[in-house]
Amino acid sequence: MKLDLNKLYVVYKPTPHSEKADVFDGRPDSLAGLFRQVQGGLKIEQVHTIYTTPAEAEKEAIRLLKKPKKKRRKLTTPIKKGQRYAIFGSEVKASDKYRVQSKPKVYRTKKEAETALRQMLKKGWKRSELKILKY
């Protein structure tokens, strides 16, 4: 089979708001045209496939647009206030932990908080300056 590099049909990856014309417009392109698009900012990640016939490209574009969107589901249930852990400076009282100016990084388990504390100690913090509180 002989490939005609002056007649290529490019199918682009769809975005959440793509229409059929965004994925495949039906016009042939050439290898030189693709090269110009790359120079203009087209990235390889934006191209889904390249076909030699418009029927194949049309079929693939329709399949891509009909493909169900992946639903993001929460992997874990949300943790209630007071069941998480955060690292505070020793000058913060336990009763004032919710009134600090900048919100602390919150860890799901005490073990995660202790690991982060150990890394902070390696960076030069002193143990007497830091403490872990339920948050």
Side-chain angles (χ1 to χ4, degrees):
M1 182 175 161
K2 200 175 203 183
L3 289 178
D4 185 9
L5 297 180
N6 292 322
K7 269 198 173 182
L8 300 173
Y9 297 91
V10 181
V11 177
Y12 299 96
K13 288 184 179 174
T15 63
H17 306 288
S18 291
E19 296 177 3
K20 185 174 176 285
D22 300 329
V23 177
F24 176 66
D25 59 4
R27 293 180 290 168
D29 205 352
S30 65
L31 200 55
L34 275 174
F35 183 69
R36 283 191 297 275
Q37 286 184 34
V38 168
Q39 285 180 326
L42 179 69
K43 293 182 177 56
I44 191 70
E45 295 86 28
Q46 295 170 314
V47 176
H48 179 68
T49 51
I50 300 174
Y51 289 99
T52 56
T53 63
E56 289 176 317
E58 179 94 18
K59 186 177 175 182
E60 183 66 16
I62 291 169
R63 186 189 71 77
L64 281 175
L65 289 172
K66 285 184 178 178
K67 193 175 187 179
K69 307 288 185 229
K70 291 182 181 177
K71 291 183 180 178
R72 291 186 181 193
R73 65 170 223 243
K74 292 184 179 179
L75 297 176
T76 59
T77 58
I79 298 175
K80 295 177 184 171
K81 190 174 184 178
Q83 294 180 344
R84 298 172 281 187
Y85 297 89
I87 300 172
F88 290 95
S90 60
E91 68 278 355
V92 176
K93 296 177 186 172
S95 59
D96 294 336
K97 63 185 169 189
Y98 295 112
R99 291 186 220 131
V100 292
Q101 285 185 341
S102 59
K103 297 232 178 222
K105 178 150 174 43
V106 179
Y107 303 95
R108 291 188 167 274
T109 64
K110 190 167 186 174
K111 188 173 184 178
E112 286 179 24
E114 288 170 348
T115 303
L117 180 65
R118 270 189 248 113
Q119 289 181 355
M120 291 174 79
L121 294 174
K122 286 180 184 177
K123 290 181 181 177
W125 287 84
K126 294 180 183 167
R127 179 66 179 117
S128 61
E129 297 174 351
L130 301 171
K131 61 182 172 182
I132 298 174
L133 297 174
K134 276 196 169 191
Y135 190 76

